[in-house]
Amino acid sequence: MASSGLAVAATASSAWLCCPNHHIHTSSSRSRKHLLLHGLYGSAPARTRGRRPPVWTAAAATAAAPADTAASARREQVEIARSLNAWVEENMLPLLTPVDSAWQPHDFLPCSAAGGGEALAAFTEGVAELRAGAAGVPDEVLVCLVGNMVTEEALPTYQSMGNRAEGLADGTGVSPLPWARWLRGWTAEENRHGDLLNRYLYLSGRVDMRQVEATVHRLLRNGMEMLAPASPYHGLIYGAFQERATFVSHGHTARLAGQYGDRALAKICGVIAADERRHEAGYTMASARLFELDPDGMARALADVMRGKVTMPGQLMSDGRDGDGEHSLFARFSAVAERAGVYTARDYGDLVEHFVRRWRVAELAAGLSGEGRRAQEYLCGLAPKIRRMEELAHRRAARIEPAMARFSWIFDRPVMLG
């Protein structure tokens, strides 16, 4: 999940998503650029076999609803999500990799198994090779890598958030229902990401691991301000955005690692990005299915997610030394991610455009209420608006001398911000 990276950390980001989405001592215009454009870090919508399913409409629900229409609509959404359990079994669960054939962090790191002199020599040689590759990675890429890793390590928070969404949650902790099995399977696969990045950074010798570990500790204590309301529609949309943002963030990090000669890190980030892509496919397909069943509810939910304050998974990260607002650790990390090209405002605009197209928002017609049509109009015009804002922010930022900030993660070495 995670990113500046639920990526993203891209900055979600990160998108904002891991990833996934962002600085310090910058102008107000540059601050607005990052605050406005760094939100979160697909194929045609899935069609039913045979006859198209009936479309749920807000008008139909309202006609039979009690006075509290919002509560009634929410209950209807929960029931629609629950009705997809058989669909989840057939379409989402196969995206999860069986444990026996799944990669594990140990596959990409020097073997630490105890043994005779040869085993120790092989481990020592492997660590030396890993450190030689890591030596060429610039500090700004290390900052992005640490930020993404910290976000991935806060996985317990994200599973807790997933269990807030009635209709998708694992009510007992061992529920056999497909939605619950997806949540546990997703968590199990995501758990490897933080483990692998953490061990790589430990062996690399390039970062202050105690400061990094304390940042993870603080993020888990601080938690995450999740979307409101905690509905299944909002949760699945958020999941789709966050997984794609982390895919982008880790993918860009893999590319940069390769450019700087760290083949091990490039492979590590590449395999994590591939996981995020599979997970994105699941959340995206589920959202597409709900767009078929309840286009009005999903259009309004998507507009809510885009209009609301989308809190990235790692937004509350702290190393105990950072300030608030643009001086926060997350804001500075995000600014570095923007400058390094790990997760940018352009990536966020691409995400919005991708999902509006993937879910065929412009083609929605039947079943839309007045509010649904207004949501549709807003969503179809959002990506061009983001691109105009991004272009204006870039022109303003180009007139300002870049600032520097020190990061405790890399022994307080200074890094240039975006």
Side-chain angles (χ1 to χ4, degrees):
M1 150 111 56
S3 156
S4 19
L6 17 349
V8 231
T11 45
S13 324
S14 114
W16 231 117
L17 234 83
C18 57
C19 166
N21 332 133
H22 277 19
H23 46 254
I24 186 170
H25 298 292
T26 56
S27 73
S28 59
S29 61
R30 184 176 295 166
S31 300
R32 285 195 298 273
K33 167 190 170 184
H34 290 291
L35 293 173
L36 288 172
L37 297 182
H38 284 77
L40 298 164
Y41 326 29
S43 57
R47 300 292 177 190
T48 55
R49 294 186 181 135
R51 193 175 63 176
R52 188 173 180 82
V55 172
W56 181 87
T57 68
T62 303
D68 190 351
T69 306
S72 176
R74 184 74 52 76
R75 288 194 295 273
E76 191 82 24
Q77 291 181 5
V78 169
E79 290 309 311
I80 291 173
R82 283 177 175 155
S83 75
L84 292 184
N85 267 300
W87 182 92
V88 172
E89 177 89 47
E90 182 179 353
N91 294 278
M92 290 180 69
L93 291 182
L95 293 172
L96 299 173
T97 306
V99 176
D100 289 341
S101 57
W103 64 264
Q104 298 299 335
H106 188 266
D107 300 337
F108 300 93
L109 299 168
C111 179
S112 62
E118 289 186 7
L120 179 59
F123 175 69
T124 302
E125 182 180 345
V127 172
E129 184 178 346
L130 184 148
R131 290 192 170 206
V137 178
D139 281 345
E140 58 266 25
V141 177
L142 281 178
V143 167
C144 296
L145 184 64
V146 172
N148 284 345
M149 185 277 278
V150 167
T151 307
E152 295 280 2
E153 290 279 59
L155 183 61
T157 297
Y158 315 142
Q159 185 179 30
S160 298
M161 290 297 181
N163 265 325
R164 292 170 70 240
E166 191 179 359
L168 310 178
D170 182 357
T172 65
V174 291
S175 170
L177 291 174
W179 273 125
R181 287 157 54 203
W182 167 265
L183 179 61
R184 295 198 303 270
W186 171 85
T187 301
E189 293 193 351
E190 289 282 335
N191 185 64
R192 303 169 304 160
H193 301 172
D195 286 350
L196 178 53
L197 293 174
N198 193 315
R199 293 174 198 173
Y200 165 87
L201 287 167
Y202 173 76
L203 293 173
S204 76
R206 293 290 310 279
V207 302
D208 185 337
M209 282 305 298
R210 196 176 199 288
Q211 281 299 117
V212 172
E213 290 162 355
T215 305
V216 174
H217 193 159
R218 286 189 175 90
L219 179 55
L220 281 163
R221 281 172 63 105
N222 291 342
M224 173 185 172
E225 184 183 357
M226 188 54 174
L227 292 164
S231 79
Y233 289 11
H234 291 73
L236 290 171
I237 289 169
Y238 183 90
F241 268 86
Q242 189 57 43
E243 293 299 312
R244 188 167 184 84
T246 51
F247 159 69
V248 169
S249 182
H250 288 301
H252 285 167
T253 307
R255 173 181 53 80
L256 289 170
Q259 287 179 3
Y260 291 109
D262 193 337
R263 291 179 295 177
L265 181 57
K267 191 172 183 180
I268 285 169
C269 292
V271 75
I272 292 173
D275 267 9
E276 307 291 11
R277 189 63 178 268
R278 280 190 297 108
H279 298 161
E280 176 212 335
Y283 289 112
T284 302
M285 287 193 304
S287 297
R289 183 77 175 109
L290 287 172
F291 263 106
E292 292 182 335
L293 296 172
D294 183 6
D296 187 75
M298 282 295 284
R300 290 185 288 115
L302 178 56
D304 285 346
V305 172
M306 295 293 96
R307 287 192 182 109
K309 179 186 176 187
V310 181
T311 303
M312 298 315 298
Q315 189 156 356
L316 298 181
M317 67 172 59
S318 170
D319 62 356
R321 304 180 185 179
D322 51 322
D324 298 323
E326 67 183 65
H327 305 294
S328 72
L329 182 57
F330 181 79
R332 289 183 286 131
F333 153 60
S334 300
V336 175
E338 168 81 26
R339 184 176 183 84
V342 167
Y343 189 78
T344 69
R346 179 176 296 276
D347 292 324
Y348 175 59
D350 289 345
L351 256 67
V352 173
E353 186 173 62
H354 167 80
F355 284 113
V356 168
R357 182 176 62 249
R358 169 66 176 85
W359 292 324
R360 298 184 176 181
V361 175
E363 302 174 29
L364 299 178
L368 288 189
S369 64
E371 186 179 348
R373 285 192 294 273
R374 287 189 291 273
Q376 179 188 44
E377 183 178 359
Y378 162 73
L379 292 166
C380 291
L382 185 56
K385 181 179 179 181
I386 290 173
R387 299 201 189 286
R388 289 194 298 270
M389 293 167 62
E390 176 203 0
E391 185 179 342
L392 179 60
H394 274 299
R395 285 203 300 267
R396 289 175 175 170
R399 298 195 293 268
I400 302 165
E401 184 177 350
M404 303 288 289
R406 295 183 182 276
F407 284 83
S408 65
W409 298 337
I410 53 172
F411 304 98
D412 290 313
R413 294 192 296 269
V415 175
M416 190 171 291
L417 302 175

